[in-house]
Amino acid sequence: MSLNKEQILTLTYLKEVGVKGVGPQKIFSIARTIKDKNLDVKSFDDLAAVMRSMKEKVIHNVTFSDLCNANQFAHKIIEVSEACGIGYVGFYDDDFPSILRQTINEDGKLDPPLILWYRGNFSITELPGIAVIGTREATPEGVAGGEFLSGQFAKRGFNIVSGLSVGCDTCGHKGALKVIGSTTAILANGLDHDSIYPPENQDLAEEIVENGGLLMSEYRIGSIVNRYNLVARDRLQVGLSSATLVVQTGVNGGTMHAATTTLKANKPLFVMYYKDPAINNHEKCLGNALLVRQGAKYVSGGDDVDTISVFIKNYKPIKTDLFG
């Protein structure tokens, strides 16, 4: 037995009713206690009893009333989300993507999401994914190359995963859409129409959903983007993917967060190489060469995409069972 998604959501929203300190690690600790003791937690009375039995003060002091208040808040979020066509799934649910249970952050530590909100075709999370990422200020050659390779991989059954940002993210999504392939946009904000970021890609977000793709986020409806959320979002792009493709990045670009996370997760990292030396030496592309020195492999439009696809699909990173 373990926590169901409503219980997880309730524990997550304790902070909304004034109870501080019950973050993801504490919630995983509660789940481990339930599993280790083989407890059947059906009600919030049961959950409160489990928490009272634990030694951690922050958890021990949570009351049944606190849980009920947090559950009321959770139900309001669920109702509004459902009205917008937004569903959610919890870490211990059978349909939670197993690959995301192995999510690694930039520090190399296991850091999976507890809850995923989604709009669109959630079943495509079962496909092998390739994260297509890069600078928001891509050159025309980067846009063309990113769209081409994204389309080629989408044709071969990959889910093209990106973050809906302008530039390289956009070319990843559009490359998949052009060949009627699968694409997932992982957002650093809520999935309601008023929260979509960046707003200039609102139409692209709708096009993704309308064409069998997926919008996904660990942030509830109404949440707005911030720098922390953007960095945290990067780990989910890598987490849902079997490999990462960097289209273009500067040495200090935000793309480096996801690239570093890919290497820490022991997943294949590819960067685009351009026939024109001027493009490879462009300020927004110098990070590509740096990543190769750190372990990435070059890919160009002339490479055998079939060979790379087979390699990615057969590659098995080391797994851990830290959270059960």
Side-chain angles (χ1 to χ4, degrees):
M1 303 298 295
S2 195
L3 295 170
N4 63 41
K5 62 183 181 181
E6 183 179 336
Q7 291 167 338
I8 291 175
L9 206 59
T10 296
L11 290 168
T12 300
Y13 292 153
L14 281 168
K15 61 185 177 183
E16 305 289 350
V17 296
V19 180
K20 306 299 182 182
V22 184
Q25 297 306 317
K26 294 289 193 298
I27 296 173
F28 278 123
S29 179
I30 294 167
R32 283 196 297 273
T33 298
I34 293 170
K35 180 183 177 183
D36 292 344
K37 295 183 178 180
N38 195 29
L39 302 174
D40 189 5
V41 180
K42 293 181 178 179
S43 68
F44 285 106
D45 252 337
D46 295 336
L47 182 56
V50 171
M51 296 173 73
R52 284 196 301 272
S53 73
M54 298 177 67
K55 294 180 180 180
E56 295 179 69
K57 184 176 180 180
V58 170
I59 298 174
H60 178 85
N61 289 341
V62 174
T63 67
F64 172 73
S65 178
D66 292 331
L67 290 172
C68 288
N69 291 336
N71 184 247
Q72 288 179 359
F73 184 91
H75 268 282
K76 291 178 182 178
I77 298 299
I78 294 169
E79 289 173 7
V80 177
S81 298
E82 288 178 345
C84 295
I86 300 169
Y88 77 111
V89 61
F91 182 88
Y92 295 100
D93 291 350
D94 291 340
D95 53 349
F96 188 93
S98 59
I99 193 172
L100 276 176
R101 292 194 174 100
Q102 302 295 319
T103 299
I104 299 292
N105 62 27
E106 193 176 7
D107 295 325
K109 296 180 180 179
L110 205 54
D111 188 16
L114 277 162
I115 289 288
L116 293 171
W117 298 96
Y118 65 90
R119 184 154 63 92
N121 183 9
F122 193 74
S123 68
I124 67 172
T125 59
E126 299 173 7
L127 298 174
I130 293 183
V132 176
I133 60 176
T135 178
R136 293 176 176 82
E137 301 168 339
T139 68
E141 294 82 0
V143 171
E147 283 193 9
F148 172 77
L149 281 181
S150 296
Q152 291 299 304
F153 284 119
K155 283 181 180 179
R156 288 159 175 80
F158 286 95
N159 175 23
I160 303 303
V161 181
S162 201
L164 201 69
S165 294
V166 296
C168 294
D169 285 17
T170 295
C171 75
H173 296 306
K174 287 187 174 180
L177 291 171
K178 283 183 178 179
V179 300
I180 318 178
S182 297
T183 187
T184 295
I186 300 182
L187 279 65
N189 44 271
L191 299 182
D192 48 311
H193 299 281
D194 294 338
S195 297
I196 294 295
Y197 179 87
E200 54 263 51
N201 270 352
Q202 173 72 62
D203 289 343
L204 177 58
E206 298 308 318
E207 185 180 357
I208 288 171
V209 173
E210 291 168 3
N211 286 277
L214 176 68
L215 305 182
M216 192 164 70
S217 176
E218 60 185 327
Y219 302 105
R220 66 176 173 85
I221 193 168
S223 300
I224 59 174
V225 71
N226 60 47
R227 182 176 296 180
Y228 171 81
N229 290 3
L230 287 168
V231 174
R233 180 272 310 272
D234 289 344
R235 85 190 197 288
L236 298 188
Q237 291 176 246
V238 174
L240 187 61
S241 304
S242 300
T244 298
L245 171 64
V246 175
V247 178
Q248 290 181 328
T249 182
V251 172
N252 297 312
T255 302
M256 287 298 186
H257 294 293
T260 300
T261 302
T262 301
L263 294 172
K264 289 287 182 69
N266 195 31
K267 293 182 178 181
L269 176 62
F270 299 95
V271 299
M272 287 193 64
Y273 183 81
Y274 300 87
K275 293 181 180 179
D276 185 351
I279 302 302
N280 293 312
N281 292 322
H282 190 283
E283 178 186 4
K284 294 298 180 180
C285 208
L286 291 177
N288 290 32
L290 175 60
L291 289 171
V292 168
R293 293 195 293 273
Q294 294 176 353
K297 303 294 184 184
Y298 274 127
V299 178
S300 72
D303 283 288
D304 187 346
V305 176
D306 284 325
T307 300
I308 296 172
S309 297
V310 171
F311 171 75
I312 294 172
K313 289 181 179 179
N314 290 334
Y315 188 83
K316 305 294 183 184
I318 299 171
K319 292 186 178 181
T320 180
D321 194 34
L322 179 61
F323 297 118

